[in-house]
Amino acid sequence: MDFSSTILLPKTDFPMKADLPNREPGMAQYWEQNKINFKMLAKRNGREKFILHDGPPYANGHIHMGHALNKILKDMIVKARALSGLYAPYVPGWDCHGLPIEHQLMKDLKKNKHSIDRLEFRKKAHEFAMTWVETQKNEFKHLGIFGDWKKPYLTLNPAYEGAILKSFRELLLKGYIYRSLKPVLWCSQCETALAEAEVEYEEKESPAVFVKFPLENPRLPKDSAIQNLSLIIWTTTPWTLPANVGLMLHPQLDYAIVHIKSLNENWVLAQNLMERILIGKLKMSPDDFAVQCTAPGSFFAGAQAKRIFPESGNLEFSAAFTHESVSSEEGTGIVHIAPGHGDIDYCIGHGVHKLSIVSPV
């Protein structure tokens, strides 16, 4: 390692003791005044580069322990690469747009979006963000973070915004941009869409239910005369059932067609889960049911089942299809799909199989 031009500690007459509240600000000030970071970079100019692409913090308040953990760990990585001989510049940046900034500014102004002029609010948001950029910049410096603090990247810089628009234009010309319906998390208080990372879920227990979907004109195994055949699903989110438009089976998993004697009905369940469900969950005895035959999940692909809430979305049938993501460890081996609820259902049900989006919420 080449430490010859890297001076990390100032000469001091302080005795050898902690005294960190006094010593650390002096160290950070010494490093900045003597441009230790830039001297270290100059010594390694022309060598192999190490670039850390750092996700920016929001400019909306004082830094907290999460900021400290994030920045200190990244700074350790950059410095370690520099000390190993690499050219390792670090360019800090800030996210100056978005809900966290707008929400905090609204709280400070004691207003909401219905009681403030949009242009006036944008101007105030710009000033608000820039104030916190300077505040956080000084707080990060006090942590001893090396970086080009005089030339950070800011998402509100015209050049940065222009680069985003240029990239968007390229995506548009290549046909990747389109308008469609998609379920998103929504904050009724802020009246805006939310990202997954912005949501903290409250612990909640909901009733899990088994639901039967009667098949309409089902395809039957050869030489069988089975009637009253239904696909059985198990769900922990029963409130999504009015949005159901699909039933997903595993293509290679074996499914049993089971005759339920007391109901004179035939149910389709994953064979390996059958006894766990009928005996363990539904408290039937082995004499209450009998396996008629078995078939792989692919056998039921393309079947039509009657929706239990046909008035929701004005759709009469739910389409059966297969996907290898279906679990064979829990449930019934048949998953109810509601593209109007949740990302996976949307991507598989609507994105792959073009099922309708029903969203009665």
Side-chain angles (χ1 to χ4, degrees), residues 16 56 109 136 169 172 183 259 261-262 273 287 292 294 297 307 322 324 326:
M16 292 300 291
L109 296 174
Q136 290 189 7
R169 180 177 182 273
L172 181 64
H259 182 65
K261 298 178 181 178
S262 62
L273 298 170
D287 295 329
Q292 302 277 62
T294 62
R307 295 180 70 233
T322 61
E324 293 185 351
V326 175

Side-chain angles (χ1 to χ4, degrees), residues 33-310:
Q33 289 177 347
N34 290 273
K35 301 181 178 180
I36 300 301
N37 176 44
F38 296 101
K39 289 179 179 178
M40 186 165 62
L41 290 173
K43 182 72 176 179
R44 291 154 180 78
N45 192 25
R47 297 188 183 179
E48 181 184 349
K49 292 182 180 180
F50 174 82
I51 307 296
L52 187 145
H53 295 277
D54 186 18
Y58 281 112
N60 70 332
H62 290 287
I63 67 171
H64 50 66
M65 191 59 70
H67 291 102
L69 177 65
N70 181 295
K71 283 291 183 286
I72 290 172
L73 291 177
K74 290 175 179 176
D75 184 63
M76 291 169 62
I77 293 170
V78 173
K79 283 175 177 165
R81 294 296 185 272
L83 291 173
S84 68
L86 300 179
Y87 180 75
Y90 169 65
V91 179
W94 278 270
D95 190 338
C96 305
H97 297 92
L99 178 65
I101 291 172
E102 296 172 7
H103 183 61
Q104 187 59 48
L105 178 56
M106 289 291 188
K107 287 173 61 177
D108 290 356
L109 296 174
K110 295 181 172 55
K111 293 187 176 183
N112 59 48
K113 71 178 187 179
H114 302 294
S115 60
I116 191 169
D117 179 74
R118 290 186 180 185
L119 292 179
E120 178 190 355
F121 181 68
R122 289 175 186 172
K123 182 180 179 181
K124 288 183 179 296
H126 183 283
E127 296 169 352
F128 178 84
M130 293 306 299
T131 298
W132 283 112
V133 164
E134 292 304 313
T135 301
Q136 290 189 7
K137 182 188 298 184
N138 291 324
E139 291 172 340
F140 285 135
K141 286 181 181 179
H142 288 166
L143 296 178
I145 311 299
F146 279 6
D148 191 351
W149 296 107
K150 291 184 179 180
K151 297 179 182 178
Y153 73 89
L154 305 174
T155 62
L156 55 68
N157 284 343
Y160 191 98
E161 294 176 332
I164 292 175
L165 290 173
K166 181 181 178 183
S167 298
F168 183 85
R169 180 177 182 273
E170 292 177 1
L171 292 171
L172 181 64
L173 292 176
K174 292 179 180 179
Y176 293 116
I177 307 299
Y178 61 93
R179 172 174 287 184
S180 183
L181 296 174
K182 187 178 190 296
V184 296
L185 295 164
W186 179 263
C187 177
S188 57
Q189 181 178 353
C190 303
E191 297 183 298
T192 187
L194 298 173
E196 284 282 357
E198 295 175 303
V199 176
E200 295 183 9
Y201 289 92
E202 181 181 357
E203 290 294 327
K204 183 180 185 298
E205 290 188 6
S206 298
V209 297
F210 291 94
V211 183
K212 61 184 179 183
F213 285 79
L215 287 175
E216 182 79 3
N217 298 320
R219 176 186 171 197
L220 299 174
K222 189 176 181 181
D223 299 328
S224 68
I226 297 172
Q227 295 180 337
N228 299 328
L229 183 61
S230 298
L231 299 179
I232 308 298
I233 67 99
W234 175 77
T235 180
T236 58
T237 57
W239 62 87
T240 64
L241 287 168
N244 170 271
V245 293
L247 301 166
M248 187 166 70
L249 303 89
H250 194 290
Q252 282 86 46
L253 189 63
D254 285 329
Y255 289 83
I257 297 179
V258 187
H259 182 65
I260 309 301
K261 298 178 181 178
S262 62
L263 301 174
N264 193 27
E265 294 179 354
N266 294 286
W267 295 357
V268 178
L269 305 161
Q271 186 176 18
N272 67 311
L273 298 170
M274 176 186 66
E275 291 188 354
R276 186 193 306 178
I277 296 166
L278 299 180
I279 297 175
K281 298 287 186 181
L282 301 181
K283 307 305 180 184
M284 296 183 183
S285 74
D287 295 329
D288 292 334
F289 60 88
V291 176
Q292 302 277 62
C293 58
T294 62
S298 57
F299 180 86
F300 300 95
Q304 296 284 307
K306 292 183 179 179
R307 295 180 70 233
I308 58 174
F309 294 102

